[in-house]
Amino acid sequence: MSKDNFVEQIADIEADFPQWYTDVVLKTKLVDYGPVKGTMIIRPYGYAIWENIQRELDCRFKATGHENAYFPLLIPMSYFTKEAEHVEGFAPEVAVVTHAGGEELAEPLAIRPTSETIFGNMYSKWLQSYRDLPIKINQWANVMRWEKTTRPFLRTSEFLWQEGHTAHSNEQEAVDETLQMLEVYKEFAENVLAIPVICGRKTEKEKFAGAVATYGMEAMMKDGKSLQAGTSHYLGQNFSKAFDIKYLDKDGAQKLAYTTSWGVSTRLIGALIMAHGDQRGLVLPPKVAPLQVVIVPIAAKKGNVMEVCGQIQQTLQAAGIRVKLDDTDNSPGWKFNEWEMKGVPLRIELGPRDIEDGKALVFRRDTLEKCPVALDGIQTQIALLLEKVQKEMLEAARVRRDNKIVYAEDVDGILKGVEGGNFVKAGWCGCRECEDKIKAQTAATARVYAEGEIAEKCAVCGKAAKHLIIYARAY
Amino acid sequence: MSKDNFVEQIADIEADFPQWYTDVVLKTKLVDYGPVKGTMIIRPYGYAIWENIQRELDCRFKATGHENAYFPLLIPMSYFTKEAEHVEGFAPEVAVVTHAGGEELAEPLAIRPTSETIFGNMYSKWLQSYRDLPIKINQWANVMRWEKTTRPFLRTSEFLWQEGHTAHSNEQEAVDETLQMLEVYKEFAENVLAIPVICGRKTEKEKFAGAVATYGMEAMMKDGKSLQAGTSHYLGQNFSKAFDIKYLDKDGAQKLAYTTSWGVSTRLIGALIMAHGDQRGLVLPPKVAPLQVVIVPIAAKKGNVMEVCGQIQQTLQAAGIRVKLDDTDNSPGWKFNEWEMKGVPLRIELGPRDIEDGKALVFRRDTLEKCPVALDGIQTQIALLLEKVQKEMLEAARVRRDNKIVYAEDVDGILKGVEGGNFVKAGWCGCRECEDKIKAQTAATARVYAEGEIAEKCAVCGKAAKHLIIYARAY
């Protein structure tokens, strides 16, 4: 298969970004469609990315004092009605078990779309005294939300995620927890996924069903749309009231706890693809790439090429680098294309001439540059180069994004901005009517409250602005 | 709370083993009951054991060439009918989703009780040529089997497990895979869980629904009952025929693949509890213990006791040991009881006098012995002691078990044997009728075909024995 044929399999990223995305996720074998509408199989290459994401996040959660647990998949439907906003938000999306063990159930059971209600129920049982606080538990689990329109990783009826649920004795501590976890997500997104994110509070309209305040982390995709990559919710006493999460305080009084919840999901894999990918396919940051280096022998049958390739593989492996030696019968050109499509950060090309010269040619997937690296001490050079790629991918993404944040004075300006693939900052009076109008006229939504100087006027009604908002079309 | 009160909370292990089990799992906060009948919450202390189990198994799966993936929770009900034995075995236990997104579904969906059918469906799609074989995928997932009688970890409607599914070009390779994974489980059970296991083939009656042959790993609990701790199935071409798992071979012919599946679950936590526990509670082997060492200061407020305890904690932590310093206000006696109940392998006791003497007192949870250890270089001594505990727990369990394996000549002998809390080896003619009679008359089942010299006669009918069977009552 020639290089051209290979690349032609992927739709033009400029002309048809959605089709490009679908082509990339399927052809790189990240994912496949499940037999039930809206479900996906996360294939080994995609799941390896998720394992790397999990490992990196999990150690951050533990370092901030959280423990993992596992709560049941099935939740009595009646639990959802206990918190009024929550049921309104989630009931329409719930999948319901009505029969089990050959019998109809007395009460239908929901497959968890999120687990605030069942955590709330158990926290109410476990929490006795102020000494039991704070409770800081996370779980890695599958959840289900029945969506009409689905796309692999971005919106599927079942997805994998983590959900943290914490309970605290006072408001300040719960708010601090909410913001701390948002910060953990941000640091992770930037330093591990190499995706610069904008974090901030969400509007009332966009917040989580049942929260007092939702904070979101927004990432710009290459088409200028925003992807909500994580959220952290301050739930106040809403769920404590609904589930009776009370404790005996030092002063002998029964008090309601303050709770939080926060989560990220397999959507992050979609974010990785759309934040970094290019016409050749995936571009993966080294920290989450299943393979960090692929070795492609040139004229493999000549002299000691395979032998030296094998030595390099072992040296890199011993240095803790995830490396593969492609020893298949495919041509070097075919291999180049395949591993470029799969987004492997570095490719080492090695032929008889290179061995004579005591160096290998190293190709960087992110910049498409080639440079020679001495074989002597190659593991040190490759490790440094992986660090450099990781850092420069973030910087490049930051430049791309910062060049696409614009200001607008009115609705027309917002429309032009988002049509041009930008995030648009604009003033907002704070009323729901104006927020709804923006969405109706521009298909953009308020992503988060922006930091910085507030604009003078609301872009819709022209009244005095109370907030600066980042508007964008979103996944 | 006095020591006696504390211990009295746990039922007598000799007099009421089932209640002892329930007391231990609840009081040590391994688990709690979920609101839906038969479901459990795996609490942080229990989940930490599961994380250790996962880590140890996962690296063994990867070392034997398997990759992880994630397949959907929901399976079309029609898939189960494709393999006749399989549907018969699992249909009665399935939980069914009939409604989702506010509408009734066109086809009811099963929550996976196991995933052979959906793996089969996808393997059929992915498998094209002999070059694609073998396919060796594992998944870590939740599954659901609606059980009438449930007990935490041992039998719950939802549980966590791993299920490996592989496809091969020929029978030998598939059989080898089946036996290799059984061996992986055995090595893991013995070296990580410190549980000696007996592995062997299951009878037709006891095999997995849809398998050609099932191999099981049986562990003896302290009441002499057996717990099936893992299974590995050779599926032949049964699922390949049902799901059309075919490939184009080198010779240009379309051929059916040979498949396997194998799994272990959160049941293993139940095995740990019942294989090692005693009247004081849990006894955990160091390799899976969430905490390997607890430090209890004696006369904590005197001199530099807390300071030295803190230094020891840091030294052990730096040596990669999972350690906790119990600096709560509880009395040393209270702490001793709590951490003994929670099964922490080693306790370091340190008071002013010990510091003067330059040593600490170390208590072994498994043997209840105390010995002094020099503070100088304590991390090395503790690491060695943890290894010793790990090894001796296995040896002790092996001796306990081997003393409780007996031979029987007839049904009466089998009955007496299992009533005495033994595994019983006896001859079997190979017919289903005799197997059923044993179960009816002794409440014991054929666990596995035993290795060794075959008895002369079938214990039931007295005809010539074809096999030696290990009978036991089982969880």
Side-chain angles (χ1 to χ4, degrees):
Chain A
M1 192 180 286
S2 80
K3 179 163 176 173
D4 286 339
N5 277 343
F6 211 91
V7 171
E8 271 168 23
Q9 294 184 342
I10 300 175
D12 190 303
I13 189 170
E14 300 290 339
D16 193 348
F17 195 73
Q19 188 60 47
W20 169 87
Y21 178 80
T22 304
D23 287 347
V24 168
V25 295
L26 294 178
K27 286 180 203 304
T28 56
K29 298 186 183 174
L30 288 177
V31 76
D32 202 351
Y33 298 111
V36 174
K37 195 179 165 297
T39 63
M40 62 176 167
I41 287 101
I42 306 179
R43 300 183 72 172
Y45 197 64
Y47 198 81
I49 297 175
W50 183 238
E51 287 181 305
N52 291 336
I53 288 173
Q54 284 189 300
R55 192 186 57 246
E56 290 276 356
L57 278 173
D58 201 68
C59 73
R60 284 167 173 79
F61 297 158
K62 283 172 178 159
T64 45
H66 302 86
E67 298 179 295
N68 287 331
Y70 186 76
F71 282 63
L73 175 77
L74 297 181
I75 304 178
M77 278 299 281
S78 58
Y79 280 31
F80 283 93
T81 59
K82 291 191 181 180
E83 212 293 328
E85 278 188 18
H86 194 66
V87 65
E88 202 180 311
F90 284 103
E93 294 181 353
V94 161
V96 186
V97 176
T98 55
H99 293 70
E103 291 174 5
E104 186 167 357
L105 298 171
E107 182 184 0
L109 303 172
I111 297 182
R112 60 180 164 226
T114 179
S115 303
E116 279 74 9
T117 59
I118 196 157
F119 272 80
N121 176 71
M122 298 312 297
Y123 283 8
S124 163
K125 181 177 171 187
W126 296 339
L127 181 55
Q128 306 288 335
S129 131
Y130 68 94
R131 285 190 203 87
D132 301 326
L133 290 173
I135 306 178
K136 294 166 73 174
I137 297 180
N138 173 65
Q139 82 171 353
W140 293 94
N142 55 342
V143 286
M144 190 158 285
R145 298 177 186 176
W146 215 258
E147 304 271 5
K148 295 240 182 298
T149 318
T150 60
R151 301 183 64 194
F153 296 125
L154 303 179
R155 201 169 290 276
T156 48
S157 56
E158 183 189 8
F159 56 92
L160 303 182
W161 80 344
Q162 61 68 217
E163 48 181 324
H165 296 271
T166 69
H168 307 266
S169 60
N170 64 76
E171 177 165 6
Q172 188 58 51
E173 196 184 296
V175 169
D176 289 349
E177 166 82 10
T178 310
L179 295 175
Q180 180 193 34
M181 298 323 290
L182 186 71
E183 188 56 38
V184 165
Y185 287 156
K186 182 177 181 169
E187 184 274 323
F188 162 80
E190 298 192 340
N191 293 334
V192 177
L193 305 182
I195 300 177
V197 288
I198 296 174
C199 291
R201 189 170 168 174
K202 296 253 168 193
T203 63
E204 282 299 296
K205 177 185 161 95
E206 300 288 338
K207 78 172 190 199
F208 176 75
V212 170
T214 287
Y215 297 84
M217 166 165 98
E218 301 286 323
M220 187 187 279
M221 303 294 99
K222 279 209 166 165
D223 60 353
K225 285 170 76 172
S226 186
L227 184 138
Q228 178 178 296
T231 47
S232 188
H233 315 294
Y234 170 59
L235 305 173
Q237 295 182 316
N238 291 351
F239 285 87
S240 291
K241 283 176 192 155
F243 289 91
D244 201 33
I245 309 173
K246 273 191 316 212
Y247 65 98
L248 188 67
D249 204 355
K250 282 178 196 172
D251 61 9
Q254 288 283 341
K255 295 181 186 172
L256 287 169
Y258 295 80
T259 69
T260 83
S261 67
W262 31 274
V264 299
S265 75
T266 36
R267 270 207 129 186
L268 289 175
I269 301 174
L272 272 176
I273 300 163
M274 293 195 294
H276 299 301
D278 65 16
Q279 190 56 52
R280 300 188 192 184
L282 297 175
V283 182
L284 296 174
K287 286 197 181 161
V288 290
L291 292 173
Q292 297 172 312
V293 177
V294 64
I295 304 169
V296 176
I298 311 293
K301 284 166 189 165
K302 284 199 184 152
N304 60 344
V305 169
M306 284 311 290
E307 196 187 317
V308 177
C309 284
Q311 285 163 0
I312 295 175
Q313 181 195 22
Q314 282 177 12
T315 307
L316 296 186
Q317 217 151 32
I321 294 166
R322 298 188 287 273
V323 56
K324 183 188 176 78
L325 166 56
D326 187 344
D327 55 5
T328 60
D329 289 340
N330 297 320
S331 71
W334 207 94
K335 292 177 185 178
F336 289 2
N337 292 326
E338 180 170 20
W339 297 114
E340 284 176 20
M341 184 171 76
K342 290 200 141 194
V344 178
L346 296 179
R347 175 175 75 229
I348 297 176
E349 305 170 14
L350 194 85
R353 182 69 177 274
D354 301 306
I355 294 172
E356 265 176 44
D357 296 351
K359 50 123 190 108
L361 215 50
V362 177
F363 170 79
R364 267 179 73 164
R365 177 64 182 91
D366 61 327
T367 58
L368 310 179
E369 291 165 352
K370 282 190 187 187
C371 63
V373 169
L375 294 183
D376 190 27
I378 193 167
Q379 71 279 16
T380 313
Q381 290 310 308
I382 291 293
L384 286 172
L385 200 48
L386 287 169
E387 273 179 42
K388 191 169 147 85
V389 168
Q390 181 76 34
K391 207 171 140 223
E392 292 184 2
M393 278 184 72
L394 173 63
E395 289 317 310
R398 201 188 296 279
V399 169
R400 275 197 302 276
R401 183 200 62 184
D402 289 350
N403 285 335
K404 292 171 84 179
I405 300 179
V406 299
Y407 283 82
E409 302 268 308
D410 52 24
V411 178
D412 197 49
I414 295 174
L415 180 62
K416 279 187 186 137
V418 297
E419 282 185 338
N422 299 291
F423 280 12
V424 184
K425 288 184 175 176
W428 180 46
C429 63
C431 85
R432 175 70 179 261
E433 211 184 331
C434 288
E435 192 179 355
D436 288 342
K437 273 188 188 161
I438 299 270
K439 189 173 181 185
Q441 293 177 32
T442 68
T445 48
R447 303 315 304 159
V448 288
Y449 288 97
E451 286 175 8
E453 210 172 305
I454 295 174
E456 268 181 37
K457 292 178 184 172
C458 171
V460 187
C461 67
K463 286 183 194 155
K466 284 186 188 151
H467 311 285
L468 187 66
I469 295 290
I470 295 181
Y471 292 100
R473 290 177 178 167
Y475 282 95
Chain B
M1 191 181 288
S2 81
K3 179 163 178 174
D4 287 338
N5 276 341
F6 210 92
V7 170
E8 272 169 21
Q9 295 185 341
I10 299 175
D12 191 302
I13 190 170
E14 301 291 340
D16 191 349
F17 195 74
Q19 188 60 47
W20 169 86
Y21 179 80
T22 303
D23 288 347
V24 168
V25 295
L26 293 178
K27 286 181 204 301
T28 56
K29 298 186 181 172
L30 289 177
V31 76
D32 203 351
Y33 298 111
V36 175
K37 197 179 164 300
T39 63
M40 63 175 165
I41 288 100
I42 306 178
R43 300 184 70 172
Y45 198 64
Y47 198 82
I49 297 176
W50 183 239
E51 287 181 304
N52 291 336
I53 289 174
Q54 284 190 300
R55 194 187 53 247
E56 291 277 354
L57 278 174
D58 201 69
C59 73
R60 285 167 171 80
F61 297 157
K62 283 171 179 159
T64 45
H66 302 86
E67 298 180 295
N68 287 331
Y70 185 77
F71 282 63
L73 175 77
L74 298 182
I75 303 178
M77 279 300 281
S78 58
Y79 281 32
F80 284 92
T81 58
K82 292 192 181 179
E83 211 291 326
E85 279 189 20
H86 193 66
V87 65
E88 202 180 312
F90 283 102
E93 294 182 353
V94 161
V96 186
V97 176
T98 55
H99 293 71
E103 291 173 6
E104 186 167 358
L105 298 171
E107 181 182 3
L109 303 172
I111 297 182
R112 60 180 163 224
T114 179
S115 303
E116 279 75 10
T117 60
I118 195 157
F119 273 80
N121 177 68
M122 297 313 298
Y123 283 8
S124 164
K125 181 177 169 186
W126 296 338
L127 182 55
Q128 306 288 334
S129 131
Y130 68 93
R131 285 191 203 86
D132 301 326
L133 289 172
I135 306 179
K136 294 166 74 174
I137 297 180
N138 173 64
Q139 81 170 355
W140 293 95
N142 54 342
V143 285
M144 189 159 288
R145 298 176 187 178
W146 215 257
E147 304 272 5
K148 295 240 182 295
T149 317
T150 60
R151 302 184 65 194
F153 297 125
L154 303 179
R155 202 170 289 276
T156 48
S157 57
E158 183 188 7
F159 55 91
L160 302 182
W161 80 345
Q162 62 68 217
E163 48 180 325
H165 296 272
T166 69
H168 307 266
S169 60
N170 64 76
E171 178 164 8
Q172 188 58 50
E173 195 183 296
V175 170
D176 288 348
E177 166 81 9
T178 309
L179 296 175
Q180 180 192 35
M181 297 324 289
L182 186 71
E183 187 55 36
V184 165
Y185 287 155
K186 181 177 182 170
E187 184 274 321
F188 162 80
E190 300 192 339
N191 293 333
V192 177
L193 305 182
I195 300 177
V197 288
I198 296 174
C199 292
R201 189 170 169 174
K202 296 256 167 193
T203 63
E204 282 299 295
K205 177 185 162 91
E206 300 289 336
K207 77 173 191 198
F208 177 76
V212 170
T214 287
Y215 298 84
M217 165 165 100
E218 300 286 322
M220 187 187 280
M221 303 295 100
K222 280 208 166 166
D223 61 352
K225 285 171 75 173
S226 187
L227 184 138
Q228 178 177 294
T231 47
S232 187
H233 314 294
Y234 170 57
L235 306 173
Q237 295 183 316
N238 291 353
F239 285 87
S240 291
K241 282 176 193 153
F243 289 92
D244 201 34
I245 309 175
K246 276 191 313 211
Y247 66 96
L248 188 67
D249 203 357
K250 282 178 195 171
D251 61 10
Q254 287 284 340
K255 294 182 185 170
L256 287 170
Y258 295 80
T259 69
T260 84
S261 67
W262 29 274
V264 299
S265 75
T266 37
R267 270 206 129 187
L268 289 175
I269 301 174
L272 273 175
I273 299 163
M274 294 194 295
H276 299 302
D278 66 16
Q279 191 56 54
R280 300 189 193 185
L282 298 174
V283 182
L284 296 173
K287 285 198 183 161
V288 290
L291 292 173
Q292 297 173 312
V293 177
V294 64
I295 303 170
V296 176
I298 312 294
K301 283 166 188 164
K302 283 198 184 153
N304 59 345
V305 169
M306 285 310 292
E307 198 187 318
V308 177
C309 284
Q311 285 163 2
I312 295 174
Q313 181 195 22
Q314 281 176 14
T315 307
L316 296 186
Q317 216 151 32
I321 294 165
R322 297 187 289 272
V323 57
K324 184 189 176 73
L325 167 56
D326 187 345
D327 56 4
T328 60
D329 290 339
N330 297 319
S331 71
W334 206 95
K335 291 176 186 177
F336 290 3
N337 291 327
E338 179 168 19
W339 298 113
E340 284 175 21
M341 184 173 75
K342 291 200 140 193
V344 179
L346 296 180
R347 175 176 74 229
I348 297 177
E349 304 170 17
L350 195 84
R353 182 71 175 272
D354 301 305
I355 294 172
E356 263 175 44
D357 296 351
K359 50 121 192 110
L361 215 51
V362 177
F363 170 81
R364 266 179 73 166
R365 177 64 183 91
D366 61 328
T367 57
L368 308 179
E369 292 166 351
K370 282 190 187 188
C371 64
V373 169
L375 294 182
D376 190 29
I378 192 168
Q379 71 279 13
T380 313
Q381 290 310 309
I382 292 292
L384 285 172
L385 200 46
L386 287 169
E387 273 179 41
K388 192 169 147 82
V389 168
Q390 180 77 36
K391 206 171 141 224
E392 292 183 5
M393 280 184 69
L394 173 63
E395 288 317 311
R398 202 189 295 278
V399 169
R400 275 197 302 275
R401 183 199 63 184
D402 289 349
N403 284 335
K404 293 172 83 178
I405 299 178
V406 298
Y407 284 82
E409 301 266 311
D410 52 24
V411 178
D412 198 45
I414 294 174
L415 180 63
K416 278 188 188 136
V418 298
E419 280 184 340
N422 299 290
F423 281 13
V424 184
K425 288 184 175 177
W428 179 46
C429 63
C431 87
R432 176 67 179 261
E433 213 183 331
C434 288
E435 191 179 358
D436 287 342
K437 273 188 189 161
I438 298 269
K439 189 173 179 183
Q441 293 176 34
T442 68
T445 48
R447 304 315 305 157
V448 288
Y449 289 97
E451 287 175 9
E453 210 173 305
I454 295 174
E456 270 183 34
K457 291 178 185 173
C458 173
V460 186
C461 66
K463 289 183 192 153
K466 285 188 188 151
H467 311 284
L468 187 67
I469 294 288
I470 295 182
Y471 294 100
R473 290 178 179 167
Y475 282 95

